[in-house]
Amino acid sequence: MSNQVSPTETVNVPTTKYNYKALLTDGILKENPVFKYMLALCPALAITSNTFNSFGLGIITLIVLVTTNTAISIIGRFVPNEIRIPIYITVIAVAVTIMEMLTHAFMPALFSALGLFIALVVSNCLVLGRAEAFASKNSVVASFCDGLGNGLGFLFAMIVLGFFRELLGTGAIDFDGIFGFRLFPQEYAIPLFIQPMGAFATLGVIVGITASVSILKNHKKTQKKGA
């Protein structure tokens, strides 16, 4: 019996089915890159002394993640395996350079505050990790959603860290003069939280809380299955 397919027959090629909702939402809470996988800790610890800087770097990283994931998904199939990492880093570097130039031109105050940390997005393990682990192996739409989901997760983590560190460290939130409020007098603030030690303490507490919530949820699921 011949295994050849007639030219008139239709060949059904299996396609990957993506859960786009999960790609967009899991990275925010369930699979948060900072709080669960401890990725991108350098900017998460160094920049989050106030909410505005945290938001700014989070937005820059989000845009870079979305654009590089999409671009690498398009070119990934044409890149030889031996040189894929240098090519991916080049793509990321181009995106970061464009964002650095735009920030310098339109938001000079944010550019001055973030300084070298904008350029260091090139070496952010989250950006390169998503390019290598997901974008290079999946469709353009799925890679876009993955970049957006993980970027939003990183932005969420930066805002949470920046908010609590600034609030506890100064007693107030000042979003670059756009809006702000004071919760308690500055003399009752704890300056430790806007110092490097405060970054580790705040991250540790948040990671501990999220891990505890995850353990409790898993325990409840196990009890329901056993019932």
Side-chain angles (χ1 to χ4, degrees), residues 18-27 134 142-143 145-146 148-150:
Y18 298 101
N19 186 342
Y20 293 107
K21 181 181 178 182
L23 289 174
L24 287 169
T25 59
D26 283 358
F134 193 92
S143 299
C145 293
D146 178 79
L148 182 59
N150 280 276

Side-chain angles (χ1 to χ4, degrees), residues 27-29 32-35 62 148-158:
I28 300 174
L29 290 175
N32 189 279
V34 177
F35 296 149
L62 167 63
L148 182 59
N150 280 276
L152 289 172
F154 178 75
L155 175 61
F156 173 74
M158 293 290 285

Side-chain angles (χ1 to χ4, degrees), residues 64-73 127 130-131 134-135 143-144 146-147:
V64 169
L65 256 171
V66 171
T67 53
T68 55
N69 256 28
T70 304
I72 288 169
S73 177
V127 179
R130 297 321 298 168
F134 193 92
S143 299
F144 174 88
D146 178 79

Side-chain angles (χ1 to χ4, degrees), residues 3-214:
N3 290 325
Q4 293 183 348
V5 178
S6 171
T8 59
E9 295 182 28
T10 302
V11 179
N12 294 320
V13 180
T15 57
T16 304
K17 292 184 178 180
Y18 298 101
N19 186 342
Y20 293 107
K21 181 181 178 182
L23 289 174
L24 287 169
T25 59
D26 283 358
I28 300 174
L29 290 175
K30 185 178 178 182
E31 305 287 335
N32 189 279
V34 177
F35 296 149
K36 182 169 183 179
Y37 296 112
M38 311 298 283
L39 297 174
L41 290 185
C42 180
L45 294 172
I47 292 299
T48 55
S49 57
N50 69 70
T51 311
F52 180 72
N53 291 349
S54 304
F55 178 80
L57 189 61
I59 288 292
I60 291 171
T61 306
L62 167 63
I63 296 173
V64 169
L65 256 171
V66 171
T67 53
T68 55
N69 256 28
T70 304
I72 288 169
S73 177
I74 295 171
I75 68 171
R77 68 194 70 182
F78 307 110
V79 176
N81 189 58
E82 295 78 10
I83 60 170
R84 70 186 190 283
I85 299 300
I87 294 296
Y88 298 165
I89 292 176
T90 301
V91 172
I92 295 168
V94 170
V96 171
T97 301
I98 293 172
M99 289 305 302
E100 187 174 22
M101 293 170 66
L102 290 173
T103 306
H104 193 188
F106 296 104
M107 301 190 72
L110 179 63
F111 178 83
S112 299
L114 296 179
L116 185 62
F117 282 96
I118 300 177
L120 287 177
V121 174
V122 175
S123 60
N124 190 317
C125 55
L126 172 61
V127 179
L128 182 58
R130 297 321 298 168
E132 168 67 9
F134 193 92
S136 62
K137 303 177 180 67
N138 292 279
S139 71
V140 175
V141 176
S143 299
F144 174 88
C145 293
D146 178 79
L148 182 59
N150 280 276
L152 289 172
F154 178 75
L155 175 61
F156 173 74
M158 293 290 285
I159 292 174
V160 170
L161 286 168
F163 179 84
F164 283 109
R165 288 186 64 194
E166 183 179 8
L167 186 62
L168 295 173
T170 66
I173 296 294
D174 179 15
F175 199 76
D176 196 41
I178 300 172
F179 69 86
F181 63 89
R182 176 164 293 280
L183 185 63
F184 52 85
Q186 189 169 2
E187 55 264 28
Y188 297 112
I190 308 173
L192 172 70
F193 281 99
I194 57 175
Q195 297 173 3
M197 180 61 193
F200 285 96
T202 307
L203 178 64
V205 170
I206 294 174
V207 169
I209 292 172
T210 54
S212 299
V213 171
S214 179

